[in-house]
Amino acid sequence: MFYELTVVQFSKALSNLSAILDKGAAHAEAKKIDVSVLLNSRLAPDQFNLIRQVQIACDTAKLGVARLTGNTESAPVHADTETTLPELKARIQSVLDYIGGFKPEDFAGTAERHISQPRWEGKYLTGTEFAIQHAIPNIYFHITTAYAILRHNGVEVGKKDYLGSMPYKS
């Protein structure tokens, strides 16, 4: 279950984010807007810009999976220096490649694993709590915010862009 909730869903969400960023680039080109205007946009003065939303979504995916599987040392390190769309897309792809290397069996023992972060000052969550109450809501928060920043700036994206393809059955 943890594999499906994280690797599968995070991969889909990050792939959808990459496609949404492509729509942002096409919009900027069509409207003769420097794409950096979109990348540095935010919905509120005290909110992170689009670049940082993408960076945090990527960090949430890679570190969420790494922590849930007990493999934090294996997570790729990103310096948060991206300033262009190609750099952001490369970061997304790096994370997709990393989490794509995990298999369902890598999540054995995840439910009760104690997971912490430096800013939690020695406190921890179980793997189940971490996945359900932190990692999953966090990635969706930042991807939704990235989507909203682009939408607010006139990029024609909709719910289908955010959700992506569905595994409908007949």
Side-chain angles (χ1 to χ4, degrees), residues 86-143:
E87 290 171 340
L88 287 174
K89 289 184 60 75
R91 181 170 179 153
I92 291 170
Q93 189 59 55
S94 167
V95 173
L96 288 170
D97 292 344
Y98 171 70
I99 66 175
F102 286 87
K103 300 191 176 1
E105 55 268 21
D106 295 326
F107 290 83
T110 292
E112 295 306 319
R113 181 171 280 120
H114 289 193
I115 299 176
S116 188
Q117 297 182 25
R119 61 188 167 93
W120 291 355
E121 301 174 351
K123 297 176 184 157
Y124 72 90
L125 297 172
T126 66
T128 299
E129 293 165 336
F130 176 78
I132 294 171
Q133 297 187 41
H134 180 75
I136 295 168
N138 199 43
I139 193 169
Y140 288 124
F141 173 85
H142 290 287
I143 291 175

Side-chain angles (χ1 to χ4, degrees), residues 64-82:
V65 170
R67 288 180 174 125
L68 287 167
T69 59
N71 288 296
T72 54
E73 312 79 34
S74 71
V77 175
H78 297 100
D80 295 340
T81 57
E82 296 88 1

Side-chain angles (χ1 to χ4, degrees), residues 27-95:
H27 173 80
E29 185 177 328
K31 298 290 185 181
K32 308 284 190 254
I33 300 168
D34 184 343
V35 74
S36 68
V37 171
L38 296 178
L39 296 176
N40 289 293
S41 292
R42 60 189 79 223
L43 295 175
D46 63 346
Q47 181 188 55
F48 290 134
N49 65 16
L50 177 61
I51 291 171
R52 191 72 184 122
Q53 300 297 338
V54 173
Q55 292 168 337
I56 295 171
C58 287
D59 289 350
T60 299
K62 73 180 180 186
L63 294 173
V65 170
R67 288 180 174 125
L68 287 167
T69 59
N71 288 296
T72 54
E73 312 79 34
S74 71
V77 175
H78 297 100
D80 295 340
T81 57
E82 296 88 1
T83 59
T84 68
L85 186 61
E87 290 171 340
L88 287 174
K89 289 184 60 75
R91 181 170 179 153
I92 291 170
Q93 189 59 55
S94 167
V95 173

